[in-house]
Amino acid sequence: MSVSVTATDESPDAQTARGRPSIVRRLSRRPTTLLIWLPLLLLAVCFAYPLLQMFRLSFTDFVGSTSGVFGNYLWFLGTDTQMTILRRTFAVAGWVTLMCLILGFPYAYLMTIVGPRMRLLMVGVVLLPFWSNLVVRTFAWVILLRDSGPVQSLLHAIGIDDLRLLGNTVGVTIGATQVLLPFLILPLYAALSGIDRSLLTAAHSLGARPAVAFVKVYLPLAVPGILAGTSIVFILTLGFYFTPALLGSPRNSLVAQQIVTQVSELLAFGRGSAIAFVVLIITFVVLGLVGLVTRRYRRSFETGLDL
Amino acid sequence: MSQHGVALEISGLTKRYGDVTALAGVDLSVAPGEFITFLGPSGSGKTTTLNAIAGFIEPDEGTIDLDGRSITGVPPWKRDIGVVFQNYSLFPHMKVSSNVAFPLRQRRVPKREMAKKVDEVLEIVGLSHLADRYPRQLSGGQQQRVALARALVFGPKLLLLDEPLGALDKRLREGLQLEIKRIHREVGVTFVFVTHDQDEALVMSDRIAVFNEGHLEQVATSQELYEHPETLFAAQFLGDSNVIHGTLESRGDRHALRVGDRAFEVMDPRGAAPGSEAAIMIRPEDLVVRPVDRESPVDHDGKTTPAEVTEVIYLGGRRRIVLSALGQEFIADEMSSVHDHKPGDSVVVTWSMGQARLVSTD
């Protein structure tokens, strides 16, 4: 038992000690990266400027008498109906994300183990909805889910009569899940396909049943991909307008519909902007948290993926 | 940590993938505690055999017995066989200590005992100081030692190593070869080592099983295999060799290989029928190259042939002389330079009859 070994292997630490140049230096170094300035300019004019305008309006444009520069924000955060709408929006976003994960994970996983032809077919099926217009797709759901529609007939046949699928958050969740599923499947597939499946074989040889090997080895490695996919879906649902407007009802409106109401019906630009900024800040917080978790998680075992 | 290995008994192992036969009836007995190497080119069936032993694939026919009990149909997670993979297959999200503890966790080993076993096995592979690192923070050689520790920690009776050193550079590989041998002696487990590297097989094994096209060519000790290969494939795969093809002739109890108008004597036809195609194999170090002169005329007996030197290569401790004779190329290795041969020299190549081995060519 008393055996000593001299570790002659080179240490990889020496390589990681080298510093990396900053992103700005790298961008300006190569002439080809000048190409990035055009889209940056476009973003500045068409996105950053209007955003700044909105920011200004949220502090300057008021309905009736003002209660200080934060009037619009105080109105939004202090009105019960508005808070109900915000909470509902988050609840729907949470449900949509969960449904997308439940449907999307097995699908993305399957994509990593089938042959190349089948995989191509599966990618095609995921992208299929993109080839038809969102309006058409949403109206298709209206037809499917309405009270005399095929889904209700089916539910009636198995004895469920009192479940309303249209004009409430159920319909919105179903519609949004279908629309947003590709946004979960594609990044998740990209992440899962990078996981070495031979690790599962190794786990089996070490005494782990397939279910245990999956939970203890595969799933932890899939966490960054799951976080990436779910955060995209969650954030997209927060800003969803069209699908909730058609499949939901004004009584069950989400935050995006409320912004439309404020801006185009009541011409309350300041209030609309304030709502938009609250949602934007919440989005940033969510993104920041996910990024932090992913980074900490990745740093421990992955190499060279972060900038 | 010391434990006893088990006997491994493989018989009639067959595996087909569509029209391709990966294994065509492999029979093999491995003694308890033995270090056996599966040697062969890629696609020869050595890894398929290993995967069948590990339970990763189900053979179409044949049986595998471990310690006298059939393990056919037993899933890999119940076989208690350690496996070391070429790409290490360490779990990247677990520290070294957790990687090594993984098989113990699956077996619900109590915490204290688990910590003790992990420490022990990490000491054996010399990595105690790196227990808190993640695999990516280790070099290839260190990672492979972690893999070795992980495959040994739960006390398997049989350890399978699938080209474990294939991804490492030469110097590191040689160091780890000796270390794996030492660990084998220390733990006493039966080792099955797969490689396509003949030098590695010679260094490490008690016995070598030479695979070719889904069957076993020969199973023997390194020395036996080198000095008495039974087939042309085994002779050529292990070490350098000079091969002369011909037809077997027998006159009474004397046997010879007929090549054109020449006949080379062979000692033992080993059951080969007269008239059958065969070959003799002579190792480069068994060939003696002499200049042509009056004292040593070309006697055209059964173990001499005239030749011409085409090249002389200096290889440090020895010189390799490339020769042209009988319309083919020969190589001879000389340890000391008694004669100074130059390209273009006419020489006589001689060997002793015992060193010309008859090998089957099918």
Side-chain angles (χ1 to χ4, degrees), chain A residues 3 6 18 30 44 50 96 129-130 140 142 148-149 156 159 177 244 260 287 291:
Chain A
V3 178
T6 45
R18 260 183 287 126
R30 269 182 255 136
V96 171
F130 284 129
V142 172
S148 55
H156 179 75
T177 301
V260 172
L287 268 182

Side-chain angles (χ1 to χ4, degrees), chain B residues 242 282-291 303-305 307 321 323 331-334 338-339 341 347-352 355:
Chain B
N242 297 293
I282 311 150
R283 296 291 181 192
E285 61 270 24
D286 294 335
L287 284 184
V288 179
V289 183
R290 283 179 293 129
K303 38 203 186 295
T304 304
T305 182
I321 301 162
L323 306 144
I331 47 175
D333 285 353
E334 283 191 335
V338 183
H339 307 287
H341 302 294
V347 291
V348 177
V349 176
T350 311
W351 60 87
S352 75
Q355 283 155 343

Side-chain angles (χ1 to χ4, degrees), chain B residues 188-206:
Chain B
V189 171
T190 310
F191 272 43
V192 173
F193 188 96
V194 168
T195 185
H196 61 266
D197 183 333
Q198 42 151 312
D199 294 327
E200 198 160 278
L202 284 174
V203 169
M204 305 195 70
S205 333
D206 294 331

Side-chain angles (χ1 to χ4, degrees), chain A residues 124-157:
Chain A
V125 170
V126 170
L127 296 177
L128 203 60
F130 284 129
W131 300 342
S132 63
N133 191 288
L134 180 62
V135 183
V136 177
R137 273 187 286 158
T138 312
F139 274 116
W141 277 116
V142 172
I143 293 164
L144 283 172
L145 299 176
R146 65 183 171 174
D147 288 348
S148 55
V151 178
Q152 283 292 7
S153 316
L154 205 70
L155 287 175
H156 179 75

